[in-house]
Amino acid sequence: MSTSKTLAFSSLAIHKTVKSPSPPFHEITSFSSPFLHFPFLSQRSTSALHGHKPPGASFSTNLAFDSSIDSQEDTVAQILTKPDRIERLMKMQRRKEPVREDGVTGAGAGARRWFPYLDLFRSGEIEVSSKEIIDVLDPYIMEARKERIQRAVSNRTYSLCLVVEGLTDFGNVSAAFRSADALGVQSVHVISCDSSKRYRDNRHVSMGSEKWLDIELWDSPAECFTALRNRGYRIATTCLGPNSVSVYELDWSQPTAIVVGNENMGISEEAICLSDLHCSIPMRGMIDSFNVSVASGILMHHAVCDRTSRLGCHGDLAPGESQILLAEFYLRHRESTIGILHEYAKRKGHYNMHSFNFGRL
């Protein structure tokens, strides 16, 4: 893997239970002019719940149903060890990485809380906004599924992120991902995952949580921590020591990156030296440590509780950010949604060109 950051968005499951192929996208429906009008929008997805085809649409009703079985092609192990699988999973356009030259880092930099996405999806040369994405894809998603996605987005935050360093057991990584998703932590970072180790990757451990997280891969603690500090995070490594602070004494309302370490060796010396503070979970028994996946779950859970106590809520996305993340989740919902959006963009480009030529007459 190159020294530059490789961005990973979690895998999209390919629906494999369709018995007959869907029709070509040009046969999905005929968009009337203007291109934003969809003859089936008034039906929404309520009719799709019952398998009814909205009037004016000739698409397969299979598109409207959710798959209860995720694809086995993109497991956590494959996402973390195969860059080609990672790069093709990017959806909404990302913001440029902030760069600070004043030496001020962490929460004290006064930077606005980091949000990674622009309100932009590119299909070739055509730009599509988050609102367009939601309007186009909304009829293809079941009502219950939409409500669940919307609930998840409303409880998401980028003020807290999880960093796992040097983990070799993909089961532990999967468990940490699952906890992050369940607790509304959207951003997860993996440093130097050892792909030479061979562990069984059980998809039931993660429960498909990797599909909904923003996963970023890094080659070293220095590379990861520099980027996180530029985004406004303070770096909190979890380790025992004379300078460690109890997790119960920290103010988790500040943007914080929680770093957990290797199953056997813990956090590396490099990561400890580069961090802003050290924290630990008070131990009450004879054993002085938790399993790494358990520790990450406890840390994130306490952080969520502390943030809720101080702020009144954990999810803290602005309305515009929530709309963009909702569009991102719609795009991740199923592989077929990307094809639908590309077809929409094609027709949008055709309409724009027609309007331009008409204006010149």
Side-chain angles (χ1 to χ4, degrees):
M1 187 181 297
S2 65
T3 56
S4 61
K5 173 175 69 65
T6 302
L7 172 66
F9 290 101
S10 54
S11 64
L12 286 170
I14 301 175
H15 188 50
K16 291 188 174 181
T17 61
V18 179
K19 295 182 179 180
S20 60
S22 300
F25 284 114
H26 68 271
E27 296 179 8
I28 290 178
T29 186
S30 296
F31 297 175
S32 59
S33 180
F35 62 88
L36 287 176
H37 172 69
F38 292 84
F40 49 84
L41 278 180
S42 60
Q43 297 295 316
R44 314 299 287 176
S45 60
T46 305
S47 61
L49 278 167
H50 306 287
H52 298 156
K53 182 172 66 176
S58 59
F59 58 91
S60 168
T61 54
N62 288 322
L63 292 174
F65 287 89
D66 298 279
S67 171
S68 60
I69 303 176
D70 287 329
S71 168
Q72 298 298 316
E73 292 187 3
D74 288 316
T75 63
V76 171
Q78 291 170 327
I79 289 172
L80 299 182
T81 58
K82 296 184 179 180
D84 60 321
R85 291 187 181 272
I86 292 169
E87 294 172 0
R88 67 181 175 83
L89 297 174
M90 299 175 68
K91 303 305 174 192
M92 299 293 286
Q93 292 291 304
R94 299 275 296 191
R95 295 184 182 278
K96 293 182 179 180
E97 289 291 327
V99 178
R100 295 213 173 87
E101 299 178 353
D102 55 8
V104 180
T105 59
R112 183 176 176 279
R113 195 240 322 113
W114 168 255
F115 183 75
Y117 296 114
L118 297 171
D119 190 0
L120 176 64
F121 174 85
R122 293 188 186 278
S123 177
E125 297 182 354
I126 304 300
E127 298 182 355
V128 184
S129 70
S130 59
K131 184 180 185 306
E132 290 176 277
I133 292 170
I134 294 169
D135 288 343
V136 170
L137 300 181
D138 190 86
Y140 297 93
I141 304 177
M142 291 169 54
E143 200 67 36
R145 186 65 159 175
K146 285 188 293 185
E147 291 177 1
R148 189 167 184 176
I149 291 175
Q150 290 165 359
R151 184 171 63 251
V153 169
S154 68
N155 287 289
R156 282 310 209 238
T157 185
Y158 284 91
S159 295
L160 187 69
C161 69
L162 177 68
V163 181
V164 292
E165 185 204 16
L167 297 190
T168 55
D169 188 333
F170 291 123
N172 280 335
V173 180
S174 298
F177 284 3
R178 182 175 176 177
S179 296
D181 172 72
L183 293 169
V185 177
Q186 181 65 21
S187 180
V188 177
H189 304 259
V190 180
I191 303 174
S192 300
C193 186
D194 189 352
S195 61
S196 65
K197 298 294 179 92
R198 297 302 178 195
Y199 293 86
R200 181 183 179 187
D201 182 32
N202 190 340
R203 192 172 179 80
H204 293 291
V205 175
S206 70
M207 294 298 291
S209 58
E210 66 278 3
K211 175 178 179 177
W212 304 105
L213 299 172
D214 294 357
I215 304 172
E216 297 182 59
L217 307 184
W218 307 90
D219 291 331
S220 69
E223 181 186 29
C224 178
F225 293 179
T226 297
L228 290 176
R229 283 199 180 93
N230 287 341
R231 298 177 187 180
Y233 292 96
R234 62 178 178 176
I235 312 299
T237 51
T238 53
C239 62
L240 296 173
N243 297 324
S244 293
V245 179
S246 169
V247 295
Y248 305 119
E249 299 176 7
L250 292 176
D251 179 358
W252 292 98
S253 64
Q254 300 181 45
T256 305
I258 302 174
V259 186
V260 296
N262 182 275
E263 298 91 343
N264 299 316
M265 304 301 295
I267 295 175
S268 67
E269 285 296 326
E270 179 186 8
I272 291 175
C273 292
L274 292 174
S275 62
D276 299 312
L277 59 94
H278 309 149
C279 64
S280 62
I281 304 171
M283 305 298 296
R284 309 303 184 191
M286 298 296 293
I287 306 301
D288 63 358
S289 65
F290 287 105
N291 170 273
V292 63
S293 61
V294 173
S296 62
I298 292 173
L299 287 162
M300 287 186 289
H301 182 267
H302 174 71
V304 170
C305 291
D306 183 75
R307 286 173 50 78
T308 303
S309 175
R310 294 175 187 271
L311 305 174
C313 63
H314 171 56
D316 60 357
L317 299 184
E321 295 171 341
S322 293
Q323 178 174 285
I324 294 171
L325 188 61
L326 181 63
E328 174 69 21
F329 275 25
Y330 272 25
L331 289 171
R332 299 184 188 190
H333 171 62
R334 285 183 55 190
E335 188 69 29
S336 58
T337 59
I338 299 297
I340 294 169
L341 196 62
H342 283 316
E343 175 64 18
Y344 165 81
K346 184 192 302 181
R347 294 183 179 276
K348 177 180 178 178
H350 176 76
Y351 173 79
N352 288 342
M353 182 60 67
H354 175 76
S355 298
F356 175 76
N357 291 334
F358 181 78
R360 295 178 57 186
L361 295 178

mmCIF file of all heavy atoms in Angstrom, residues 25-66:
data_model
loop_
_atom_site.group_PDB
_atom_site.id
_atom_site.type_symbol
_atom_site.label_atom_id
_atom_site.label_comp_id
_atom_site.label_asym_id
_atom_site.label_seq_id
_atom_site.Cartn_x
_atom_site.Cartn_y
_atom_site.Cartn_z
ATOM 1 N N PHE A 25 -31.148 -0.363 -18.303
ATOM 2 C CA PHE A 25 -31.540 0.861 -17.629
ATOM 3 C C PHE A 25 -32.325 1.799 -18.538
ATOM 4 O O PHE A 25 -33.146 2.572 -18.062
ATOM 5 C CB PHE A 25 -30.308 1.566 -17.076
ATOM 6 C CG PHE A 25 -29.776 0.915 -15.840
ATOM 7 C CD1 PHE A 25 -28.533 0.310 -15.860
ATOM 8 C CD2 PHE A 25 -30.530 0.877 -14.677
ATOM 9 C CE1 PHE A 25 -28.036 -0.315 -14.722
ATOM 10 C CE2 PHE A 25 -30.045 0.250 -13.551
ATOM 11 C CZ PHE A 25 -28.795 -0.348 -13.577
ATOM 12 N N HIS A 26 -32.103 1.726 -19.845
ATOM 13 C CA HIS A 26 -32.867 2.599 -20.712
ATOM 14 C C HIS A 26 -34.332 2.183 -20.798
ATOM 15 O O HIS A 26 -35.167 2.905 -21.305
ATOM 16 C CB HIS A 26 -32.241 2.624 -22.116
ATOM 17 C CG HIS A 26 -32.357 1.321 -22.852
ATOM 18 N ND1 HIS A 26 -31.389 0.350 -22.738
ATOM 19 C CD2 HIS A 26 -33.310 0.837 -23.683
ATOM 20 C CE1 HIS A 26 -31.729 -0.699 -23.496
ATOM 21 N NE2 HIS A 26 -32.903 -0.425 -24.072
ATOM 22 N N GLU A 27 -34.630 0.984 -20.260
ATOM 23 C CA GLU A 27 -36.008 0.534 -20.240
ATOM 24 C C GLU A 27 -36.683 0.747 -18.884
ATOM 25 O O GLU A 27 -37.834 0.392 -18.689
ATOM 26 C CB GLU A 27 -36.079 -0.959 -20.592
ATOM 27 C CG GLU A 27 -35.616 -1.263 -22.005
ATOM 28 C CD GLU A 27 -35.679 -2.751 -22.293
ATOM 29 O OE1 GLU A 27 -36.210 -3.498 -21.463
ATOM 30 O OE2 GLU A 27 -35.185 -3.145 -23.356
ATOM 31 N N ILE A 28 -35.937 1.316 -17.916
ATOM 32 C CA ILE A 28 -36.493 1.484 -16.571
ATOM 33 C C ILE A 28 -37.735 2.349 -16.597
ATOM 34 O O ILE A 28 -38.777 2.015 -16.079
ATOM 35 C CB ILE A 28 -35.439 2.077 -15.629
ATOM 36 C CG1 ILE A 28 -34.342 1.040 -15.343
ATOM 37 C CG2 ILE A 28 -36.074 2.522 -14.314
ATOM 38 C CD1 ILE A 28 -33.241 1.555 -14.462
ATOM 39 N N THR A 29 -37.630 3.507 -17.190
ATOM 40 C CA THR A 29 -38.774 4.399 -17.288
ATOM 41 C C THR A 29 -38.448 5.500 -18.269
ATOM 42 O O THR A 29 -37.302 5.707 -18.619
ATOM 43 C CB THR A 29 -39.122 5.004 -15.912
ATOM 44 O OG1 THR A 29 -40.331 5.759 -16.043
ATOM 45 C CG2 THR A 29 -38.036 5.935 -15.419
ATOM 46 N N SER A 30 -39.438 6.178 -18.713
ATOM 47 C CA SER A 30 -39.233 7.315 -19.602
ATOM 48 C C SER A 30 -39.435 8.582 -18.810
ATOM 49 O O SER A 30 -40.543 8.882 -18.371
ATOM 50 C CB SER A 30 -40.239 7.261 -20.768
ATOM 51 O OG SER A 30 -40.016 6.119 -21.553
ATOM 52 N N PHE A 31 -38.355 9.301 -18.573
ATOM 53 C CA PHE A 31 -38.438 10.542 -17.823
ATOM 54 C C PHE A 31 -39.003 11.616 -18.748
ATOM 55 O O PHE A 31 -38.451 11.883 -19.811
ATOM 56 C CB PHE A 31 -37.062 10.989 -17.341
ATOM 57 C CG PHE A 31 -36.410 10.029 -16.385
ATOM 58 C CD1 PHE A 31 -35.122 10.263 -15.950
ATOM 59 C CD2 PHE A 31 -37.074 8.905 -15.918
ATOM 60 C CE1 PHE A 31 -34.516 9.393 -15.071
ATOM 61 C CE2 PHE A 31 -36.467 8.040 -15.045
ATOM 62 C CZ PHE A 31 -35.175 8.272 -14.626
ATOM 63 N N SER A 32 -40.078 12.237 -18.340
ATOM 64 C CA SER A 32 -40.629 13.318 -19.151
ATOM 65 C C SER A 32 -39.838 14.585 -18.902
ATOM 66 O O SER A 32 -39.094 14.692 -17.958
ATOM 67 C CB SER A 32 -42.094 13.536 -18.789
ATOM 68 O OG SER A 32 -42.230 13.860 -17.419
ATOM 69 N N SER A 33 -39.978 15.550 -19.757
ATOM 70 C CA SER A 33 -39.290 16.830 -19.600
ATOM 71 C C SER A 33 -40.132 17.738 -18.736
ATOM 72 O O SER A 33 -41.347 17.824 -18.894
ATOM 73 C CB SER A 33 -39.074 17.475 -20.965
ATOM 74 O OG SER A 33 -38.414 18.704 -20.838
ATOM 75 N N PRO A 34 -39.554 18.420 -17.719
ATOM 76 C CA PRO A 34 -38.134 18.416 -17.427
ATOM 77 C C PRO A 34 -37.668 17.111 -16.797
ATOM 78 O O PRO A 34 -38.479 16.367 -16.269
ATOM 79 C CB PRO A 34 -37.974 19.587 -16.438
ATOM 80 C CG PRO A 34 -39.290 19.649 -15.743
ATOM 81 C CD PRO A 34 -40.307 19.304 -16.801
ATOM 82 N N PHE A 35 -36.335 16.908 -16.755
ATOM 83 C CA PHE A 35 -35.788 15.621 -16.339
ATOM 84 C C PHE A 35 -36.040 15.316 -14.880
ATOM 85 O O PHE A 35 -35.958 14.173 -14.447
ATOM 86 C CB PHE A 35 -34.274 15.570 -16.606
ATOM 87 C CG PHE A 35 -33.489 16.603 -15.849
ATOM 88 C CD1 PHE A 35 -33.015 16.351 -14.576
ATOM 89 C CD2 PHE A 35 -33.248 17.842 -16.423
ATOM 90 C CE1 PHE A 35 -32.310 17.315 -13.899
ATOM 91 C CE2 PHE A 35 -32.536 18.797 -15.730
ATOM 92 C CZ PHE A 35 -32.068 18.540 -14.467
ATOM 93 N N LEU A 36 -36.350 16.302 -14.059
ATOM 94 C CA LEU A 36 -36.565 16.058 -12.639
ATOM 95 C C LEU A 36 -37.918 15.421 -12.352
ATOM 96 O O LEU A 36 -38.193 15.016 -11.241
ATOM 97 C CB LEU A 36 -36.450 17.368 -11.843
ATOM 98 C CG LEU A 36 -35.036 17.906 -11.681
ATOM 99 C CD1 LEU A 36 -35.075 19.249 -10.977
ATOM 100 C CD2 LEU A 36 -34.169 16.932 -10.916
ATOM 101 N N HIS A 37 -38.787 15.344 -13.343
ATOM 102 C CA HIS A 37 -40.103 14.773 -13.111
ATOM 103 C C HIS A 37 -40.051 13.264 -13.276
ATOM 104 O O HIS A 37 -39.572 12.751 -14.273
ATOM 105 C CB HIS A 37 -41.116 15.355 -14.096
ATOM 106 C CG HIS A 37 -42.462 14.659 -14.027
ATOM 107 N ND1 HIS A 37 -43.275 14.790 -12.941
ATOM 108 C CD2 HIS A 37 -43.084 13.836 -14.903
ATOM 109 C CE1 HIS A 37 -44.380 14.067 -13.147
ATOM 110 N NE2 HIS A 37 -44.280 13.488 -14.319
ATOM 111 N N PHE A 38 -40.537 12.541 -12.255
ATOM 112 C CA PHE A 38 -40.615 11.085 -12.324
ATOM 113 C C PHE A 38 -42.081 10.693 -12.210
ATOM 114 O O PHE A 38 -42.724 10.982 -11.204
ATOM 115 C CB PHE A 38 -39.836 10.423 -11.177
ATOM 116 C CG PHE A 38 -38.364 10.616 -11.285
ATOM 117 C CD1 PHE A 38 -37.769 11.768 -10.815
ATOM 118 C CD2 PHE A 38 -37.577 9.646 -11.870
ATOM 119 C CE1 PHE A 38 -36.415 11.947 -10.925
ATOM 120 C CE2 PHE A 38 -36.222 9.820 -11.972
ATOM 121 C CZ PHE A 38 -35.635 10.972 -11.507
ATOM 122 N N PRO A 39 -42.651 10.049 -13.192
ATOM 123 C CA PRO A 39 -44.069 9.710 -13.143
ATOM 124 C C PRO A 39 -44.438 8.786 -12.002
ATOM 125 O O PRO A 39 -45.590 8.669 -11.651
ATOM 126 C CB PRO A 39 -44.316 9.031 -14.505
ATOM 127 C CG PRO A 39 -42.973 8.584 -14.967
ATOM 128 C CD PRO A 39 -41.995 9.594 -14.430
ATOM 129 N N PHE A 40 -43.431 8.100 -11.393
ATOM 130 C CA PHE A 40 -43.760 7.169 -10.329
ATOM 131 C C PHE A 40 -43.441 7.707 -8.952
ATOM 132 O O PHE A 40 -43.604 7.007 -7.964
ATOM 133 C CB PHE A 40 -43.000 5.841 -10.521
ATOM 134 C CG PHE A 40 -41.529 6.024 -10.775
ATOM 135 C CD1 PHE A 40 -40.642 6.181 -9.728
ATOM 136 C CD2 PHE A 40 -41.048 6.038 -12.071
ATOM 137 C CE1 PHE A 40 -39.298 6.356 -9.970
ATOM 138 C CE2 PHE A 40 -39.698 6.213 -12.311
ATOM 139 C CZ PHE A 40 -38.832 6.368 -11.259
ATOM 140 N N LEU A 41 -42.976 8.951 -8.829
ATOM 141 C CA LEU A 41 -42.595 9.466 -7.523
ATOM 142 C C LEU A 41 -43.771 9.551 -6.563
ATOM 143 O O LEU A 41 -43.608 9.381 -5.363
ATOM 144 C CB LEU A 41 -41.952 10.844 -7.666
ATOM 145 C CG LEU A 41 -40.481 10.859 -8.042
ATOM 146 C CD1 LEU A 41 -39.994 12.294 -8.137
ATOM 147 C CD2 LEU A 41 -39.639 10.091 -7.037
ATOM 148 N N SER A 42 -44.962 9.843 -7.065
ATOM 149 C CA SER A 42 -46.102 10.001 -6.181
ATOM 150 C C SER A 42 -46.475 8.706 -5.476
ATOM 151 O O SER A 42 -47.110 8.707 -4.436
ATOM 152 C CB SER A 42 -47.312 10.507 -6.971
ATOM 153 O OG SER A 42 -47.652 9.567 -7.990
ATOM 154 N N GLN A 43 -46.036 7.570 -6.017
ATOM 155 C CA GLN A 43 -46.352 6.290 -5.407
ATOM 156 C C GLN A 43 -45.417 5.953 -4.253
ATOM 157 O O GLN A 43 -45.732 5.115 -3.443
ATOM 158 C CB GLN A 43 -46.275 5.173 -6.470
ATOM 159 C CG GLN A 43 -47.294 5.330 -7.586
ATOM 160 C CD GLN A 43 -48.696 5.194 -7.080
ATOM 161 O OE1 GLN A 43 -48.985 4.314 -6.298
ATOM 162 N NE2 GLN A 43 -49.575 6.082 -7.527
ATOM 163 N N ARG A 44 -44.248 6.597 -4.244
ATOM 164 C CA ARG A 44 -43.217 6.351 -3.237
ATOM 165 C C ARG A 44 -42.920 4.857 -3.175
ATOM 166 O O ARG A 44 -43.182 4.108 -4.095
ATOM 167 C CB ARG A 44 -43.626 6.877 -1.865
ATOM 168 C CG ARG A 44 -44.190 8.270 -1.920
ATOM 169 C CD ARG A 44 -43.183 9.265 -2.453
ATOM 170 N NE ARG A 44 -42.168 9.535 -1.467
ATOM 171 C CZ ARG A 44 -41.121 10.304 -1.703
ATOM 172 N NH1 ARG A 44 -40.962 10.840 -2.907
ATOM 173 N NH2 ARG A 44 -40.231 10.536 -0.781
ATOM 174 N N SER A 45 -42.412 4.412 -2.026
ATOM 175 C CA SER A 45 -42.054 2.997 -1.925
ATOM 176 C C SER A 45 -43.092 2.183 -1.190
ATOM 177 O O SER A 45 -42.905 1.012 -0.943
ATOM 178 C CB SER A 45 -40.707 2.866 -1.198
ATOM 179 O OG SER A 45 -40.826 3.415 0.090
ATOM 180 N N THR A 46 -44.225 2.806 -0.794
ATOM 181 C CA THR A 46 -45.252 2.053 -0.103
ATOM 182 C C THR A 46 -45.796 0.937 -0.978
ATOM 183 O O THR A 46 -45.982 -0.194 -0.534
ATOM 184 C CB THR A 46 -46.404 2.994 0.291
ATOM 185 O OG1 THR A 46 -45.860 4.064 1.052
ATOM 186 C CG2 THR A 46 -47.442 2.265 1.126
ATOM 187 N N SER A 47 -46.030 1.245 -2.257
ATOM 188 C CA SER A 47 -46.507 0.208 -3.159
ATOM 189 C C SER A 47 -45.464 -0.858 -3.380
ATOM 190 O O SER A 47 -45.791 -2.022 -3.598
ATOM 191 C CB SER A 47 -46.910 0.828 -4.498
ATOM 192 O OG SER A 47 -45.794 1.450 -5.098
ATOM 193 N N ALA A 48 -44.175 -0.452 -3.300
ATOM 194 C CA ALA A 48 -43.114 -1.434 -3.499
ATOM 195 C C ALA A 48 -43.123 -2.474 -2.391
ATOM 196 O O ALA A 48 -42.708 -3.613 -2.587
ATOM 197 C CB ALA A 48 -41.764 -0.727 -3.547
ATOM 198 N N LEU A 49 -43.571 -2.080 -1.197
ATOM 199 C CA LEU A 49 -43.639 -3.034 -0.105
ATOM 200 C C LEU A 49 -44.537 -4.213 -0.445
ATOM 201 O O LEU A 49 -44.336 -5.324 0.030
ATOM 202 C CB LEU A 49 -44.181 -2.332 1.152
ATOM 203 C CG LEU A 49 -43.182 -1.531 1.981
ATOM 204 C CD1 LEU A 49 -43.919 -0.655 2.974
ATOM 205 C CD2 LEU A 49 -42.241 -2.470 2.700
ATOM 206 N N HIS A 50 -45.550 -3.968 -1.266
ATOM 207 C CA HIS A 50 -46.499 -5.012 -1.616
ATOM 208 C C HIS A 50 -46.225 -5.606 -2.989
ATOM 209 O O HIS A 50 -47.028 -6.373 -3.512
ATOM 210 C CB HIS A 50 -47.918 -4.447 -1.583
ATOM 211 C CG HIS A 50 -48.244 -3.787 -0.279
ATOM 212 N ND1 HIS A 50 -48.463 -4.501 0.880
ATOM 213 C CD2 HIS A 50 -48.352 -2.472 0.067
ATOM 214 C CE1 HIS A 50 -48.721 -3.670 1.886
ATOM 215 N NE2 HIS A 50 -48.651 -2.433 1.418
ATOM 216 N N GLY A 51 -45.097 -5.198 -3.571
ATOM 217 C CA GLY A 51 -44.732 -5.766 -4.862
ATOM 218 C C GLY A 51 -45.496 -5.181 -6.015
ATOM 219 O O GLY A 51 -45.550 -5.783 -7.080
ATOM 220 N N HIS A 52 -46.122 -4.011 -5.835
ATOM 221 C CA HIS A 52 -46.867 -3.389 -6.921
ATOM 222 C C HIS A 52 -45.970 -2.491 -7.742
ATOM 223 O O HIS A 52 -45.113 -1.816 -7.203
ATOM 224 C CB HIS A 52 -48.032 -2.564 -6.347
ATOM 225 C CG HIS A 52 -49.027 -3.412 -5.599
ATOM 226 N ND1 HIS A 52 -49.838 -2.901 -4.623
ATOM 227 C CD2 HIS A 52 -49.307 -4.745 -5.673
ATOM 228 C CE1 HIS A 52 -50.606 -3.862 -4.125
ATOM 229 N NE2 HIS A 52 -50.296 -4.992 -4.744
ATOM 230 N N LYS A 53 -46.187 -2.453 -9.016
ATOM 231 C CA LYS A 53 -45.398 -1.605 -9.892
ATOM 232 C C LYS A 53 -46.069 -0.247 -10.004
ATOM 233 O O LYS A 53 -47.228 -0.157 -10.375
ATOM 234 C CB LYS A 53 -45.268 -2.246 -11.274
ATOM 235 C CG LYS A 53 -44.407 -1.429 -12.228
ATOM 236 C CD LYS A 53 -44.157 -2.186 -13.501
ATOM 237 C CE LYS A 53 -45.424 -2.401 -14.295
ATOM 238 N NZ LYS A 53 -45.198 -3.054 -15.581
ATOM 239 N N PRO A 54 -45.354 0.860 -9.663
ATOM 240 C CA PRO A 54 -45.934 2.188 -9.792
ATOM 241 C C PRO A 54 -46.330 2.465 -11.234
ATOM 242 O O PRO A 54 -45.663 2.013 -12.166
ATOM 243 C CB PRO A 54 -44.800 3.119 -9.340
ATOM 244 C CG PRO A 54 -43.903 2.241 -8.526
ATOM 245 C CD PRO A 54 -44.006 0.890 -9.145
ATOM 246 N N PRO A 55 -47.416 3.218 -11.444
ATOM 247 C CA PRO A 55 -47.852 3.499 -12.816
ATOM 248 C C PRO A 55 -46.828 4.300 -13.587
ATOM 249 O O PRO A 55 -46.150 5.159 -13.034
ATOM 250 C CB PRO A 55 -49.139 4.315 -12.586
ATOM 251 C CG PRO A 55 -49.000 4.898 -11.211
ATOM 252 C CD PRO A 55 -48.272 3.855 -10.432
ATOM 253 N N GLY A 56 -46.692 4.007 -14.861
ATOM 254 C CA GLY A 56 -45.774 4.742 -15.720
ATOM 255 C C GLY A 56 -44.367 4.220 -15.689
ATOM 256 O O GLY A 56 -43.497 4.730 -16.376
ATOM 257 N N ALA A 57 -44.104 3.201 -14.865
ATOM 258 C CA ALA A 57 -42.742 2.682 -14.766
ATOM 259 C C ALA A 57 -42.701 1.269 -15.308
ATOM 260 O O ALA A 57 -43.595 0.468 -15.066
ATOM 261 C CB ALA A 57 -42.274 2.697 -13.317
ATOM 262 N N SER A 58 -41.620 0.953 -16.044
ATOM 263 C CA SER A 58 -41.489 -0.383 -16.607
ATOM 264 C C SER A 58 -40.323 -1.132 -16.011
ATOM 265 O O SER A 58 -39.811 -2.063 -16.581
ATOM 266 C CB SER A 58 -41.300 -0.284 -18.129
ATOM 267 O OG SER A 58 -40.143 0.473 -18.421
ATOM 268 N N PHE A 59 -39.879 -0.684 -14.804
ATOM 269 C CA PHE A 59 -38.727 -1.354 -14.208
ATOM 270 C C PHE A 59 -39.181 -2.602 -13.453
ATOM 271 O O PHE A 59 -40.332 -2.744 -13.071
ATOM 272 C CB PHE A 59 -37.986 -0.418 -13.239
ATOM 273 C CG PHE A 59 -38.836 0.112 -12.124
ATOM 274 C CD1 PHE A 59 -38.922 -0.566 -10.921
ATOM 275 C CD2 PHE A 59 -39.542 1.294 -12.287
ATOM 276 C CE1 PHE A 59 -39.718 -0.085 -9.902
ATOM 277 C CE2 PHE A 59 -40.335 1.779 -11.269
ATOM 278 C CZ PHE A 59 -40.436 1.090 -10.071
ATOM 279 N N SER A 60 -38.213 -3.495 -13.202
ATOM 280 C CA SER A 60 -38.514 -4.705 -12.455
ATOM 281 C C SER A 60 -38.784 -4.367 -11.009
ATOM 282 O O SER A 60 -38.051 -3.601 -10.390
ATOM 283 C CB SER A 60 -37.322 -5.674 -12.542
ATOM 284 O OG SER A 60 -37.469 -6.728 -11.619
ATOM 285 N N THR A 61 -39.818 -4.958 -10.411
ATOM 286 C CA THR A 61 -40.124 -4.674 -9.008
ATOM 287 C C THR A 61 -39.069 -5.248 -8.083
ATOM 288 O O THR A 61 -39.056 -4.940 -6.907
ATOM 289 C CB THR A 61 -41.491 -5.280 -8.631
ATOM 290 O OG1 THR A 61 -41.499 -6.672 -8.959
ATOM 291 C CG2 THR A 61 -42.617 -4.571 -9.360
ATOM 292 N N ASN A 62 -38.175 -6.072 -8.580
ATOM 293 C CA ASN A 62 -37.090 -6.572 -7.748
ATOM 294 C C ASN A 62 -36.243 -5.434 -7.212
ATOM 295 O O ASN A 62 -35.626 -5.549 -6.162
ATOM 296 C CB ASN A 62 -36.192 -7.527 -8.552
ATOM 297 C CG ASN A 62 -36.875 -8.848 -8.829
ATOM 298 O OD1 ASN A 62 -37.598 -9.368 -7.983
ATOM 299 N ND2 ASN A 62 -36.659 -9.374 -10.019
ATOM 300 N N LEU A 63 -36.166 -4.316 -7.958
ATOM 301 C CA LEU A 63 -35.340 -3.201 -7.540
ATOM 302 C C LEU A 63 -35.840 -2.566 -6.253
ATOM 303 O O LEU A 63 -35.097 -1.908 -5.554
ATOM 304 C CB LEU A 63 -35.302 -2.134 -8.642
ATOM 305 C CG LEU A 63 -34.588 -2.517 -9.922
ATOM 306 C CD1 LEU A 63 -34.766 -1.415 -10.966
ATOM 307 C CD2 LEU A 63 -33.113 -2.763 -9.672
ATOM 308 N N ALA A 64 -37.092 -2.740 -5.938
ATOM 309 C CA ALA A 64 -37.683 -2.060 -4.798
ATOM 310 C C ALA A 64 -37.516 -2.823 -3.498
ATOM 311 O O ALA A 64 -37.853 -2.324 -2.444
ATOM 312 C CB ALA A 64 -39.170 -1.812 -5.055
ATOM 313 N N PHE A 65 -37.003 -4.033 -3.557
ATOM 314 C CA PHE A 65 -36.910 -4.838 -2.352
ATOM 315 C C PHE A 65 -35.484 -4.886 -1.833
ATOM 316 O O PHE A 65 -34.517 -4.825 -2.573
ATOM 317 C CB PHE A 65 -37.411 -6.265 -2.637
ATOM 318 C CG PHE A 65 -38.898 -6.333 -2.790
ATOM 319 C CD1 PHE A 65 -39.476 -6.154 -4.034
ATOM 320 C CD2 PHE A 65 -39.709 -6.549 -1.701
ATOM 321 C CE1 PHE A 65 -40.847 -6.203 -4.185
ATOM 322 C CE2 PHE A 65 -41.073 -6.600 -1.848
ATOM 323 C CZ PHE A 65 -41.655 -6.430 -3.085
ATOM 324 N N ASP A 66 -35.370 -5.017 -0.512
ATOM 325 C CA ASP A 66 -34.076 -5.113 0.128
ATOM 326 C C ASP A 66 -33.627 -6.569 0.156
ATOM 327 O O ASP A 66 -34.427 -7.482 0.300
ATOM 328 C CB ASP A 66 -34.142 -4.598 1.565
ATOM 329 C CG ASP A 66 -34.519 -3.145 1.611
ATOM 330 O OD1 ASP A 66 -33.634 -2.317 1.400
ATOM 331 O OD2 ASP A 66 -35.702 -2.858 1.861
#
